[in-house]
Amino acid sequence: MKILLATYWLIPHVGGVWKYMLQIQQRLEAMGHQVDLLGNSPDYSKFHIINRGQELSKAALRPLLSAKLADIHVPQLHRDPIIHFYEEDRYNMELSAAYFGLGQYDLIHTQDIFAARALHRVKPSHVPLVAQVHGSVNKELHNHFLLNPQLGVQEHSPAWKYFDSIEYYGASSGQLTITSTQWQKNELVQSFGIPEHRIEVFQYGLDTGPFWQSAQHGTDVHKPPGKKVIIVPARLAFVKGIDVLISALGMLKYMRNDWVCWIVGEGEMREELMQQTAGLSLQDDVAFLGERRDIPALLLQSDIFVHSCIQDNQPFSVMEAQIAGLPACVSNAGGLPEMVEHGVTGLVSPVRDPLALAQQLNALLEDDEYRRKLGQNAAHWAQEHWSMDRMIARLLNAYGKAAANL
Amino acid sequence: MPGEPYMVIGDLYNRIFAVQSSHIDVLVDYAAWNRIFEQLPPNYLLPDMEVLTFD
């Protein structure tokens, strides 16, 4: 088969979607399939099929789109700058995909709602489309609007309703919709009315070979003597809830000081989080390590993994921590309770509850045997649950179903 | 000049726009737009009014 994996988001990227696309590409190509990767370029200047070196600059499209879709002709597009931004860029993706030619593919597998809607609109009718939903764009944006009232976007605002609309049309664009958690499936059925029989649920897989190879290369970051390491690999974005963890660490410091925290990642909240850290006098306890390629080696030096997010589906960071044998302290957001069994492979706390998280961290630091036992359970569970072979078999089965649903 | 794109009036591609308007001053790369135009489904329209109609 010739398969197109497509995302509206940037490729290459450090995020989980890109890693997921690469893993699928490698596995499917090893089985004799051809796989192309389409996405936005890292500087947003073009869409490209990165593995073939094919590209179309948005500069070739923008003048005509701007003229024909001007406010005077299409006022609906200009009701809010955020609507205009996402719609115009999605139209760039549609025209770019047409330019590259979608008729050459046996199947298209999109990785987000924007790509799903875009390619659904321009693909030939004989090419099946599988729409994978990794998370909820509208929930993330609605949270953003609620927490930034200065933007003036409320439930009746066009920008708010737009994200409901694009989420619905995107998620229902395929012959089949795939997601990795029951939580996400329930969201799609209950909030967006996607028919249940059109949604397939199976968990991600993780190729452990590259993980252990990377771990063997080691790291130049070392655990301070006499301290245990709490590690948080995450984008420094509001949705990741790192401010909740820092609040929890402020409380933990009153309980004990046999720990340090490594925050691994970059993002728009870096300054704010560093200020919060300084405000709680945690500068010597919390290290912002930035984006790093040695996360497997860092995990192997660590003792506890934390993901205190506001909303997430099935993050790779939790999977990697479990493979490394770390107990995970996670919030009960989204699909996380399906990944971590409370008291067995880690500890689960309510979303945005720093006190509960501080108490859980204290309990794990206090009892070495308990902490190691949860870590061993996590490693055992990860080996079974995150099997890449199993995921690829399920994915090919889903491709077959989508083709049959045409 | 070799490699210089052959430019044509963008109005040639008016068929894909829901609101017909004339912009004779907007020129586009013929090779790129013709290739796009040939590949688009016959009922393709911009903007995507289904998504934009949410009131």
mmCIF file of all heavy atoms in Angstrom, chain B residues 1-39:
data_model
loop_
_atom_site.group_PDB
_atom_site.id
_atom_site.type_symbol
_atom_site.label_atom_id
_atom_site.label_comp_id
_atom_site.label_asym_id
_atom_site.label_seq_id
_atom_site.Cartn_x
_atom_site.Cartn_y
_atom_site.Cartn_z
ATOM 1 N N MET B 1 13.826 35.199 -18.174
ATOM 2 C CA MET B 1 14.824 34.652 -17.263
ATOM 3 C C MET B 1 14.468 33.193 -16.939
ATOM 4 O O MET B 1 13.302 32.905 -16.642
ATOM 5 C CB MET B 1 14.855 35.478 -15.982
ATOM 6 C CG MET B 1 16.269 35.801 -15.608
ATOM 7 S SD MET B 1 16.539 36.671 -14.066
ATOM 8 C CE MET B 1 15.041 37.288 -13.472
ATOM 9 N N PRO B 2 15.443 32.269 -17.000
ATOM 10 C CA PRO B 2 15.094 30.889 -16.714
ATOM 11 C C PRO B 2 14.606 30.730 -15.264
ATOM 12 O O PRO B 2 15.140 31.368 -14.366
ATOM 13 C CB PRO B 2 16.410 30.132 -16.938
ATOM 14 C CG PRO B 2 17.479 31.143 -17.134
ATOM 15 C CD PRO B 2 16.856 32.465 -17.327
ATOM 16 N N GLY B 3 13.595 29.907 -15.066
ATOM 17 C CA GLY B 3 13.098 29.651 -13.718
ATOM 18 C C GLY B 3 12.059 30.662 -13.260
ATOM 19 O O GLY B 3 11.422 30.480 -12.236
ATOM 20 N N GLU B 4 11.890 31.755 -14.008
ATOM 21 C CA GLU B 4 10.883 32.771 -13.636
ATOM 22 C C GLU B 4 9.493 32.179 -13.857
ATOM 23 O O GLU B 4 9.196 31.686 -14.950
ATOM 24 C CB GLU B 4 11.086 33.991 -14.527
ATOM 25 C CG GLU B 4 10.363 35.241 -14.075
ATOM 26 C CD GLU B 4 11.046 35.932 -12.898
ATOM 27 O OE1 GLU B 4 12.163 35.526 -12.511
ATOM 28 O OE2 GLU B 4 10.437 36.850 -12.379
ATOM 29 N N PRO B 5 8.591 32.199 -12.866
ATOM 30 C CA PRO B 5 7.276 31.587 -13.079
ATOM 31 C C PRO B 5 6.448 32.365 -14.097
ATOM 32 O O PRO B 5 6.563 33.589 -14.191
ATOM 33 C CB PRO B 5 6.631 31.636 -11.695
ATOM 34 C CG PRO B 5 7.395 32.640 -10.919
ATOM 35 C CD PRO B 5 8.764 32.723 -11.513
ATOM 36 N N TYR B 6 5.653 31.644 -14.833
ATOM 37 C CA TYR B 6 4.742 32.264 -15.797
ATOM 38 C C TYR B 6 3.486 32.668 -15.029
ATOM 39 O O TYR B 6 2.778 31.821 -14.480
ATOM 40 C CB TYR B 6 4.428 31.259 -16.905
ATOM 41 C CG TYR B 6 3.434 31.764 -17.925
ATOM 42 C CD1 TYR B 6 3.688 32.915 -18.668
ATOM 43 C CD2 TYR B 6 2.236 31.081 -18.143
ATOM 44 C CE1 TYR B 6 2.775 33.378 -19.595
ATOM 45 C CE2 TYR B 6 1.321 31.531 -19.073
ATOM 46 C CZ TYR B 6 1.591 32.681 -19.797
ATOM 47 O OH TYR B 6 0.685 33.142 -20.715
ATOM 48 N N MET B 7 3.226 33.987 -14.992
ATOM 49 C CA MET B 7 2.148 34.484 -14.146
ATOM 50 C C MET B 7 0.882 34.743 -14.980
ATOM 51 O O MET B 7 0.978 35.225 -16.124
ATOM 52 C CB MET B 7 2.572 35.788 -13.452
ATOM 53 C CG MET B 7 3.874 35.679 -12.659
ATOM 54 S SD MET B 7 3.813 34.481 -11.308
ATOM 55 C CE MET B 7 2.968 35.441 -10.058
ATOM 56 N N VAL B 8 -0.237 34.424 -14.392
ATOM 57 C CA VAL B 8 -1.517 34.679 -15.059
ATOM 58 C C VAL B 8 -2.469 35.353 -14.065
ATOM 59 O O VAL B 8 -2.232 35.345 -12.849
ATOM 60 C CB VAL B 8 -2.166 33.370 -15.576
ATOM 61 C CG1 VAL B 8 -1.331 32.757 -16.686
ATOM 62 C CG2 VAL B 8 -2.387 32.382 -14.435
ATOM 63 N N ILE B 9 -3.573 35.875 -14.571
ATOM 64 C CA ILE B 9 -4.560 36.521 -13.688
ATOM 65 C C ILE B 9 -5.245 35.453 -12.829
ATOM 66 O O ILE B 9 -5.720 34.433 -13.349
ATOM 67 C CB ILE B 9 -5.607 37.274 -14.534
ATOM 68 C CG1 ILE B 9 -4.924 38.418 -15.286
ATOM 69 C CG2 ILE B 9 -6.726 37.819 -13.668
ATOM 70 C CD1 ILE B 9 -5.819 39.089 -16.306
ATOM 71 N N GLY B 10 -5.302 35.696 -11.528
ATOM 72 C CA GLY B 10 -5.889 34.728 -10.601
ATOM 73 C C GLY B 10 -7.370 34.476 -10.855
ATOM 74 O O GLY B 10 -7.897 33.425 -10.500
ATOM 75 N N ASP B 11 -8.035 35.422 -11.514
ATOM 76 C CA ASP B 11 -9.464 35.258 -11.813
ATOM 77 C C ASP B 11 -9.751 34.002 -12.637
ATOM 78 O O ASP B 11 -10.886 33.522 -12.662
ATOM 79 C CB ASP B 11 -9.994 36.479 -12.588
ATOM 80 C CG ASP B 11 -10.171 37.695 -11.685
ATOM 81 O OD1 ASP B 11 -10.008 37.540 -10.456
ATOM 82 O OD2 ASP B 11 -10.472 38.784 -12.211
ATOM 83 N N LEU B 12 -8.716 33.462 -13.287
ATOM 84 C CA LEU B 12 -8.889 32.209 -14.050
ATOM 85 C C LEU B 12 -9.428 31.090 -13.161
ATOM 86 O O LEU B 12 -10.050 30.152 -13.643
ATOM 87 C CB LEU B 12 -7.516 31.741 -14.581
ATOM 88 C CG LEU B 12 -6.999 32.323 -15.881
ATOM 89 C CD1 LEU B 12 -5.619 31.761 -16.164
ATOM 90 C CD2 LEU B 12 -7.964 31.947 -17.013
ATOM 91 N N TYR B 13 -9.153 31.198 -11.871
ATOM 92 C CA TYR B 13 -9.515 30.108 -10.944
ATOM 93 C C TYR B 13 -10.730 30.480 -10.088
ATOM 94 O O TYR B 13 -10.946 29.911 -9.014
ATOM 95 C CB TYR B 13 -8.289 29.727 -10.086
ATOM 96 C CG TYR B 13 -7.107 29.420 -10.974
ATOM 97 C CD1 TYR B 13 -6.054 30.318 -11.122
ATOM 98 C CD2 TYR B 13 -7.082 28.250 -11.722
ATOM 99 C CE1 TYR B 13 -5.000 30.053 -11.983
ATOM 100 C CE2 TYR B 13 -6.035 27.984 -12.597
ATOM 101 C CZ TYR B 13 -5.006 28.886 -12.715
ATOM 102 O OH TYR B 13 -3.973 28.619 -13.582
ATOM 103 N N ASN B 14 -11.523 31.410 -10.561
ATOM 104 C CA ASN B 14 -12.691 31.876 -9.802
ATOM 105 C C ASN B 14 -13.657 30.759 -9.453
ATOM 106 O O ASN B 14 -14.398 30.864 -8.484
ATOM 107 C CB ASN B 14 -13.432 32.960 -10.603
ATOM 108 C CG ASN B 14 -13.070 34.356 -10.105
ATOM 109 O OD1 ASN B 14 -12.321 34.492 -9.140
ATOM 110 N ND2 ASN B 14 -13.574 35.374 -10.766
ATOM 111 N N ARG B 15 -13.657 29.699 -10.245
ATOM 112 C CA ARG B 15 -14.613 28.604 -10.026
ATOM 113 C C ARG B 15 -14.563 28.042 -8.593
ATOM 114 O O ARG B 15 -15.580 27.611 -8.059
ATOM 115 C CB ARG B 15 -14.329 27.474 -11.037
ATOM 116 C CG ARG B 15 -15.383 26.395 -11.126
ATOM 117 C CD ARG B 15 -15.111 25.186 -10.245
ATOM 118 N NE ARG B 15 -14.020 24.341 -10.697
ATOM 119 C CZ ARG B 15 -13.414 23.457 -9.920
ATOM 120 N NH1 ARG B 15 -13.758 23.316 -8.662
ATOM 121 N NH2 ARG B 15 -12.425 22.715 -10.389
ATOM 122 N N ILE B 16 -13.414 28.090 -7.954
ATOM 123 C CA ILE B 16 -13.318 27.463 -6.614
ATOM 124 C C ILE B 16 -13.746 28.428 -5.497
ATOM 125 O O ILE B 16 -13.737 28.032 -4.330
ATOM 126 C CB ILE B 16 -11.911 26.911 -6.316
ATOM 127 C CG1 ILE B 16 -10.874 28.037 -6.216
ATOM 128 C CG2 ILE B 16 -11.509 25.859 -7.333
ATOM 129 C CD1 ILE B 16 -9.533 27.569 -5.626
ATOM 130 N N PHE B 17 -14.115 29.638 -5.827
ATOM 131 C CA PHE B 17 -14.487 30.588 -4.772
ATOM 132 C C PHE B 17 -16.004 30.781 -4.736
ATOM 133 O O PHE B 17 -16.640 30.970 -5.776
ATOM 134 C CB PHE B 17 -13.776 31.927 -4.974
ATOM 135 C CG PHE B 17 -12.284 31.787 -4.805
ATOM 136 C CD1 PHE B 17 -11.453 31.686 -5.915
ATOM 137 C CD2 PHE B 17 -11.721 31.691 -3.541
ATOM 138 C CE1 PHE B 17 -10.076 31.514 -5.765
ATOM 139 C CE2 PHE B 17 -10.348 31.522 -3.381
ATOM 140 C CZ PHE B 17 -9.527 31.428 -4.491
ATOM 141 N N ALA B 18 -16.557 30.740 -3.527
ATOM 142 C CA ALA B 18 -18.007 30.824 -3.367
ATOM 143 C C ALA B 18 -18.541 32.178 -3.826
ATOM 144 O O ALA B 18 -19.627 32.270 -4.376
ATOM 145 C CB ALA B 18 -18.376 30.571 -1.903
ATOM 146 N N VAL B 19 -17.775 33.229 -3.565
ATOM 147 C CA VAL B 19 -18.195 34.569 -3.987
ATOM 148 C C VAL B 19 -17.336 34.975 -5.178
ATOM 149 O O VAL B 19 -16.107 35.033 -5.085
ATOM 150 C CB VAL B 19 -18.016 35.579 -2.833
ATOM 151 C CG1 VAL B 19 -18.388 36.981 -3.302
ATOM 152 C CG2 VAL B 19 -18.871 35.172 -1.633
ATOM 153 N N GLN B 20 -17.980 35.217 -6.271
ATOM 154 C CA GLN B 20 -17.250 35.595 -7.485
ATOM 155 C C GLN B 20 -16.895 37.073 -7.438
ATOM 156 O O GLN B 20 -17.759 37.913 -7.203
ATOM 157 C CB GLN B 20 -18.121 35.327 -8.717
ATOM 158 C CG GLN B 20 -18.519 33.859 -8.849
ATOM 159 C CD GLN B 20 -17.332 32.969 -9.160
ATOM 160 O OE1 GLN B 20 -16.658 33.186 -10.154
ATOM 161 N NE2 GLN B 20 -17.070 31.994 -8.309
ATOM 162 N N SER B 21 -15.625 37.359 -7.610
ATOM 163 C CA SER B 21 -15.191 38.754 -7.624
ATOM 164 C C SER B 21 -14.014 38.852 -8.586
ATOM 165 O O SER B 21 -13.366 37.848 -8.889
ATOM 166 C CB SER B 21 -14.776 39.201 -6.224
ATOM 167 O OG SER B 21 -13.749 38.365 -5.741
ATOM 168 N N SER B 22 -13.771 40.060 -9.046
ATOM 169 C CA SER B 22 -12.699 40.228 -10.022
ATOM 170 C C SER B 22 -11.521 40.977 -9.392
ATOM 171 O O SER B 22 -11.704 41.991 -8.724
ATOM 172 C CB SER B 22 -13.239 41.012 -11.222
ATOM 173 O OG SER B 22 -12.206 41.164 -12.166
ATOM 174 N N HIS B 23 -10.323 40.419 -9.584
ATOM 175 C CA HIS B 23 -9.101 41.064 -9.073
ATOM 176 C C HIS B 23 -8.045 40.951 -10.167
ATOM 177 O O HIS B 23 -7.168 40.083 -10.100
ATOM 178 C CB HIS B 23 -8.611 40.374 -7.795
ATOM 179 C CG HIS B 23 -9.619 40.385 -6.691
ATOM 180 N ND1 HIS B 23 -10.583 39.419 -6.558
ATOM 181 C CD2 HIS B 23 -9.830 41.271 -5.684
ATOM 182 C CE1 HIS B 23 -11.344 39.701 -5.517
ATOM 183 N NE2 HIS B 23 -10.902 40.814 -4.963
ATOM 184 N N ILE B 24 -8.163 41.801 -11.165
ATOM 185 C CA ILE B 24 -7.279 41.648 -12.325
ATOM 186 C C ILE B 24 -5.829 41.973 -11.984
ATOM 187 O O ILE B 24 -4.920 41.655 -12.735
ATOM 188 C CB ILE B 24 -7.750 42.508 -13.530
ATOM 189 C CG1 ILE B 24 -7.889 43.961 -13.094
ATOM 190 C CG2 ILE B 24 -9.040 41.982 -14.128
ATOM 191 C CD1 ILE B 24 -8.039 44.903 -14.272
ATOM 192 N N ASP B 25 -5.629 42.611 -10.830
ATOM 193 C CA ASP B 25 -4.267 42.967 -10.424
ATOM 194 C C ASP B 25 -3.559 41.805 -9.716
ATOM 195 O O ASP B 25 -2.347 41.872 -9.485
ATOM 196 C CB ASP B 25 -4.302 44.180 -9.493
ATOM 197 C CG ASP B 25 -5.242 43.970 -8.317
ATOM 198 O OD1 ASP B 25 -6.270 43.268 -8.507
ATOM 199 O OD2 ASP B 25 -4.952 44.464 -7.222
ATOM 200 N N VAL B 26 -4.288 40.759 -9.347
ATOM 201 C CA VAL B 26 -3.651 39.653 -8.616
ATOM 202 C C VAL B 26 -3.200 38.583 -9.605
ATOM 203 O O VAL B 26 -4.020 37.913 -10.244
ATOM 204 C CB VAL B 26 -4.610 39.040 -7.566
ATOM 205 C CG1 VAL B 26 -3.919 37.897 -6.829
ATOM 206 C CG2 VAL B 26 -5.070 40.107 -6.583
ATOM 207 N N LEU B 27 -1.897 38.422 -9.715
ATOM 208 C CA LEU B 27 -1.334 37.431 -10.633
ATOM 209 C C LEU B 27 -0.845 36.222 -9.829
ATOM 210 O O LEU B 27 -0.381 36.360 -8.694
ATOM 211 C CB LEU B 27 -0.155 38.037 -11.402
ATOM 212 C CG LEU B 27 -0.467 39.279 -12.238
ATOM 213 C CD1 LEU B 27 0.785 39.795 -12.946
ATOM 214 C CD2 LEU B 27 -1.569 38.994 -13.267
ATOM 215 N N VAL B 28 -0.961 35.052 -10.427
ATOM 216 C CA VAL B 28 -0.526 33.833 -9.735
ATOM 217 C C VAL B 28 0.352 32.991 -10.662
ATOM 218 O O VAL B 28 0.309 33.138 -11.889
ATOM 219 C CB VAL B 28 -1.738 32.982 -9.265
ATOM 220 C CG1 VAL B 28 -2.588 33.743 -8.270
ATOM 221 C CG2 VAL B 28 -2.585 32.504 -10.434
ATOM 222 N N ASP B 29 1.102 32.107 -10.047
ATOM 223 C CA ASP B 29 1.994 31.201 -10.777
ATOM 224 C C ASP B 29 1.131 30.159 -11.514
ATOM 225 O O ASP B 29 0.484 29.318 -10.884
ATOM 226 C CB ASP B 29 2.934 30.537 -9.753
ATOM 227 C CG ASP B 29 3.894 29.529 -10.394
ATOM 228 O OD1 ASP B 29 3.665 29.134 -11.550
ATOM 229 O OD2 ASP B 29 4.846 29.139 -9.709
ATOM 230 N N TYR B 30 1.166 30.222 -12.832
ATOM 231 C CA TYR B 30 0.287 29.366 -13.647
ATOM 232 C C TYR B 30 0.566 27.882 -13.391
ATOM 233 O O TYR B 30 -0.361 27.081 -13.225
ATOM 234 C CB TYR B 30 0.492 29.678 -15.129
ATOM 235 C CG TYR B 30 -0.261 28.753 -16.055
ATOM 236 C CD1 TYR B 30 -1.631 28.898 -16.257
ATOM 237 C CD2 TYR B 30 0.410 27.724 -16.738
ATOM 238 C CE1 TYR B 30 -2.324 28.048 -17.106
ATOM 239 C CE2 TYR B 30 -0.285 26.862 -17.584
ATOM 240 C CZ TYR B 30 -1.650 27.031 -17.765
ATOM 241 O OH TYR B 30 -2.327 26.189 -18.592
ATOM 242 N N ALA B 31 1.854 27.520 -13.322
ATOM 243 C CA ALA B 31 2.191 26.093 -13.187
ATOM 244 C C ALA B 31 1.633 25.532 -11.877
ATOM 245 O O ALA B 31 1.044 24.437 -11.850
ATOM 246 C CB ALA B 31 3.711 25.916 -13.242
ATOM 247 N N ALA B 32 1.808 26.283 -10.785
ATOM 248 C CA ALA B 32 1.340 25.795 -9.476
ATOM 249 C C ALA B 32 -0.183 25.745 -9.430
ATOM 250 O O ALA B 32 -0.786 24.731 -9.069
ATOM 251 C CB ALA B 32 1.875 26.700 -8.371
ATOM 252 N N TRP B 33 -0.825 26.848 -9.833
ATOM 253 C CA TRP B 33 -2.288 26.910 -9.707
ATOM 254 C C TRP B 33 -2.990 25.985 -10.691
ATOM 255 O O TRP B 33 -4.041 25.427 -10.369
ATOM 256 C CB TRP B 33 -2.762 28.355 -9.863
ATOM 257 C CG TRP B 33 -2.738 29.053 -8.533
ATOM 258 C CD1 TRP B 33 -1.704 29.767 -8.010
ATOM 259 C CD2 TRP B 33 -3.772 29.048 -7.539
ATOM 260 N NE1 TRP B 33 -2.030 30.222 -6.747
ATOM 261 C CE2 TRP B 33 -3.305 29.796 -6.436
ATOM 262 C CE3 TRP B 33 -5.053 28.498 -7.465
ATOM 263 C CZ2 TRP B 33 -4.056 30.000 -5.288
ATOM 264 C CZ3 TRP B 33 -5.810 28.709 -6.314
ATOM 265 C CH2 TRP B 33 -5.311 29.446 -5.237
ATOM 266 N N ASN B 34 -2.427 25.795 -11.858
ATOM 267 C CA ASN B 34 -3.066 24.889 -12.805
ATOM 268 C C ASN B 34 -3.010 23.447 -12.291
ATOM 269 O O ASN B 34 -3.972 22.693 -12.414
ATOM 270 C CB ASN B 34 -2.379 24.988 -14.166
ATOM 271 C CG ASN B 34 -3.389 24.840 -15.278
ATOM 272 O OD1 ASN B 34 -4.477 25.404 -15.201
ATOM 273 N ND2 ASN B 34 -3.050 24.051 -16.279
ATOM 274 N N ARG B 35 -1.874 23.108 -11.706
ATOM 275 C CA ARG B 35 -1.726 21.755 -11.143
ATOM 276 C C ARG B 35 -2.721 21.542 -9.991
ATOM 277 O O ARG B 35 -3.358 20.494 -9.895
ATOM 278 C CB ARG B 35 -0.288 21.598 -10.641
ATOM 279 C CG ARG B 35 0.078 20.222 -10.181
ATOM 280 C CD ARG B 35 1.584 20.127 -10.094
ATOM 281 N NE ARG B 35 1.990 19.219 -9.031
ATOM 282 C CZ ARG B 35 3.248 19.033 -8.671
ATOM 283 N NH1 ARG B 35 4.223 19.681 -9.277
ATOM 284 N NH2 ARG B 35 3.543 18.186 -7.707
ATOM 285 N N ILE B 36 -2.865 22.561 -9.156
ATOM 286 C CA ILE B 36 -3.834 22.477 -8.046
ATOM 287 C C ILE B 36 -5.250 22.336 -8.605
ATOM 288 O O ILE B 36 -6.008 21.445 -8.204
ATOM 289 C CB ILE B 36 -3.752 23.751 -7.165
ATOM 290 C CG1 ILE B 36 -2.423 23.808 -6.401
ATOM 291 C CG2 ILE B 36 -4.930 23.819 -6.199
ATOM 292 C CD1 ILE B 36 -2.122 25.168 -5.786
ATOM 293 N N PHE B 37 -5.585 23.209 -9.530
ATOM 294 C CA PHE B 37 -6.934 23.283 -10.087
ATOM 295 C C PHE B 37 -7.360 21.954 -10.708
ATOM 296 O O PHE B 37 -8.495 21.509 -10.546
ATOM 297 C CB PHE B 37 -6.940 24.403 -11.137
ATOM 298 C CG PHE B 37 -8.302 24.936 -11.458
ATOM 299 C CD1 PHE B 37 -9.061 25.606 -10.501
ATOM 300 C CD2 PHE B 37 -8.831 24.801 -12.733
ATOM 301 C CE1 PHE B 37 -10.311 26.118 -10.802
ATOM 302 C CE2 PHE B 37 -10.083 25.300 -13.043
ATOM 303 C CZ PHE B 37 -10.823 25.962 -12.082
ATOM 304 N N GLU B 38 -6.415 21.312 -11.393
ATOM 305 C CA GLU B 38 -6.726 20.030 -12.044
ATOM 306 C C GLU B 38 -7.015 18.926 -11.031
ATOM 307 O O GLU B 38 -7.731 17.972 -11.327
ATOM 308 C CB GLU B 38 -5.532 19.588 -12.905
ATOM 309 C CG GLU B 38 -5.458 20.305 -14.232
ATOM 310 C CD GLU B 38 -4.187 19.951 -15.000
ATOM 311 O OE1 GLU B 38 -3.382 19.144 -14.495
ATOM 312 O OE2 GLU B 38 -4.010 20.514 -16.091
ATOM 313 N N GLN B 39 -6.433 19.035 -9.848
ATOM 314 C CA GLN B 39 -6.559 17.964 -8.858
ATOM 315 C C GLN B 39 -7.752 18.149 -7.917
ATOM 316 O O GLN B 39 -8.118 17.222 -7.209
ATOM 317 C CB GLN B 39 -5.279 17.896 -7.999
ATOM 318 C CG GLN B 39 -4.016 17.520 -8.762
ATOM 319 C CD GLN B 39 -4.023 16.069 -9.220
ATOM 320 O OE1 GLN B 39 -4.556 15.198 -8.534
ATOM 321 N NE2 GLN B 39 -3.464 15.806 -10.382
#
